Amino acid sequence: MELNEQVGLRLRQLREERGLSLSALARRSGTGKATLSELEAGRRNPTLETLYALTTALGVPLSAALTDSGGTPYGTPAPGTSPGAGGAPGGGPAGISGQAVTAVLTERFEDGAAVTDVFRIRIRGGAVQESAAHIPGTQEHLVVLTGTAVVGDPAAPVTAGPGAHAHWTADGPHLYSAPHGDVEAVLFVRSPLAAPRTP
Amino acid sequence: MELNEQVGLRLRQLREERGLSLSALARRSGTGKATLSELEAGRRNPTLETLYALTTALGVPLSAALTDSGGTPYGTPAPGTSPGAGGAPGGGPAGISGQAVTAVLTERFEDGAAVTDVFRIRIRGGAVQESAAHIPGTQEHLVVLTGTAVVGDPAAPVTAGPGAHAHWTADGPHLYSAPHGDVEAVLFVRSPLAAPRTP
DNA sequence: GACGACCGTTCCGTTTACGGAACGTTCCGT
DNA sequence: ACGGAACGTTCCGTAAACGGAACGGTCGTC
């Protein structure tokens, strides 16, 4: 998708989450309605000042308008208000964070067959966390940045040191642990798209 | 300070950290030298496309050009070190982007022994790119989000489909290719720190 | 010391992002 | 039914961001 379209959609999403009309946001931000209309449609290539005026009026940092790694969900409103977004039926990303693990979703990627959540995680030294089974077919990859992690099947866990990679099937219980000190890593959780019932 | 000046200084900083001349970055990113010169001086109000072209050529995500909360230090040398562009002689992250590959650095992680650059990359379908050797001991991991990539040692390349993982040693020439269509993936490049002789 | 290669800045014509003012539509209140 | 207000889109003149082509300055090389 074109970059301008991505940013346009993101801005429209932020605006609608706040229940603002296009005209109201244009008035409040000091930009023209024409600018905002065509920008949301992906038909303009906005300048930095325009983006700044809009994000400030929306109450989010500039980076919130972008879709790359800096684009974290700002002000995602109360659950229940799900406008056009037509959210994924599966709901949000799997909850990973727990006593031993802090996980931040950095990207969610979806293709025709599966959705892949990319997490930046930290496992606290000496801690162990067991995670419940995900849906059948779910695969996990871990790439360790620093420290030594012991992960995967509780019956046959795998040890991964700095720079190493581990892989396991997550449709059964699985664990994350860091016996020798904190671990920083990137975790990939790839789940097949719900074809829950193919009669 | 004016917003345009902030962004201009940030871009100049990123460029100088990488030891690139203004002309070289203009050439590489496809923008005019006039544009880049005045932009770094804070005398222009860049468009989104211009910012994207520049940050991509610098190997950082768009948000890296901004100075707000999203503005994480990419490749910033140790804090407190004087701005003397001298900085780390190793320079910035390895240049990955080329004819077939677009790479955006999403994180740079450094521990005592190695530095790991995490890239979000796209390999264009049908294209092949050969990359020069990195320093001895460099390891690369690829986790494929979608498509099928053929990567690694040119003499014995590895095929990785959606959700798969590939690993190779990058201290010799190595290739990235996508025979059957575009590939989206995450690439880890882990390079040993140049041993600074601690006697 | 003249030449060439590269640097960063300035000038200039073209393209286009901008805001204001129109437009047609929908939704209220009278 | 009618009027008014608000909505989002389209049209248009102006301002300015863009790339290409100049310019002067600095560094190596012959």
Side-chain angles (χ1 to χ4, degrees):
Chain A
M1 180 188 297
E2 205 59 55
L3 174 66
N4 291 339
E5 298 175 35
Q6 289 181 31
V7 172
L9 291 177
R10 183 89 184 97
L11 285 172
R12 173 164 288 173
Q13 177 190 3
L14 287 166
R15 174 174 67 80
E16 291 181 343
E17 279 175 3
R18 284 159 180 71
L20 282 171
S21 71
L22 187 150
S23 303
L25 178 57
R27 210 177 317 121
R28 178 190 295 209
S29 64
T31 66
K33 288 200 294 178
T35 301
L36 186 49
S37 174
E38 295 196 339
L39 201 165
E40 286 191 353
R43 302 163 41 88
R44 287 236 188 141
N45 170 24
T47 64
L48 186 62
E49 280 185 357
T50 300
L51 285 178
Y52 182 75
L54 292 173
T55 54
T56 300
L58 287 165
V60 299
L62 242 172
S63 50
L66 310 178
T67 44
D68 66 12
S69 60
T72 1
Y74 286 95
T76 308
T81 341
S82 48
I96 304 282
S97 295
Q99 303 229 343
V101 176
T102 309
V104 177
L105 182 72
T106 58
E107 180 167 19
R108 156 164 274 213
F109 187 91
E110 193 168 335
D111 65 13
V115 55
T116 304
D117 288 321
V118 184
F119 297 92
R120 184 65 171 74
I121 76 168
R122 159 177 293 198
I123 311 175
R124 274 213 300 287
V128 180
Q129 179 171 329
E130 183 147 346
S131 182
H134 298 204
I135 68 173
T138 300
Q139 304 280 316
E140 299 196 1
H141 291 272
L142 188 79
V143 177
V144 177
L145 299 174
T146 192
T148 299
V150 175
V151 291
D153 181 354
V158 174
T159 300
H165 161 261
H167 168 245
W168 63 91
T169 298
D171 52 11
H174 50 286
L175 61 82
Y176 307 90
S177 65
H180 309 308
D182 284 3
V183 164
E184 303 276 355
V186 179
L187 174 70
F188 299 79
V189 180
R190 182 177 178 88
S191 312
L193 276 184
R197 232 165 277 248
T198 355
Chain B
M1 181 189 294
E2 206 59 54
L3 174 66
N4 291 338
E5 298 175 34
Q6 290 181 32
V7 172
L9 290 177
R10 183 88 185 95
L11 285 173
R12 172 164 289 172
Q13 177 190 2
L14 287 166
R15 173 173 68 80
E16 291 181 343
E17 278 174 5
R18 285 159 181 71
L20 282 172
S21 71
L22 187 149
S23 301
L25 178 57
R27 211 177 315 120
R28 180 190 294 212
S29 64
T31 65
K33 287 200 293 177
T35 301
L36 187 49
S37 174
E38 296 196 339
L39 201 166
E40 285 191 354
R43 302 164 43 83
R44 286 232 189 147
N45 171 23
T47 64
L48 185 62
E49 279 184 358
T50 300
L51 284 178
Y52 182 74
L54 292 173
T55 53
T56 300
L58 288 166
V60 299
L62 243 172
S63 50
L66 311 178
T67 43
D68 67 12
S69 58
T72 359
Y74 288 93
T76 306
T81 49
S82 58
I96 305 282
S97 293
Q99 303 234 343
V101 175
T102 309
V104 175
L105 181 72
T106 57
E107 180 167 21
R108 159 165 271 213
F109 188 90
E110 193 168 336
D111 64 14
V115 55
T116 303
D117 288 323
V118 183
F119 296 92
R120 183 65 170 73
I121 78 169
R122 159 177 296 196
I123 311 175
R124 273 215 303 287
V128 179
Q129 180 171 326
E130 183 147 346
S131 183
H134 298 205
I135 68 174
T138 300
Q139 304 281 316
E140 298 196 2
H141 291 271
L142 188 79
V143 177
V144 177
L145 298 175
T146 192
T148 299
V150 175
V151 291
D153 181 355
V158 174
T159 299
H165 160 263
H167 168 246
W168 62 91
T169 298
D171 52 12
H174 50 288
L175 61 83
Y176 307 88
S177 66
H180 309 309
D182 285 4
V183 165
E184 302 275 356
V186 179
L187 175 70
F188 299 79
V189 180
R190 182 178 178 88
S191 312
L193 278 183
R197 283 291 145 227
T198 22

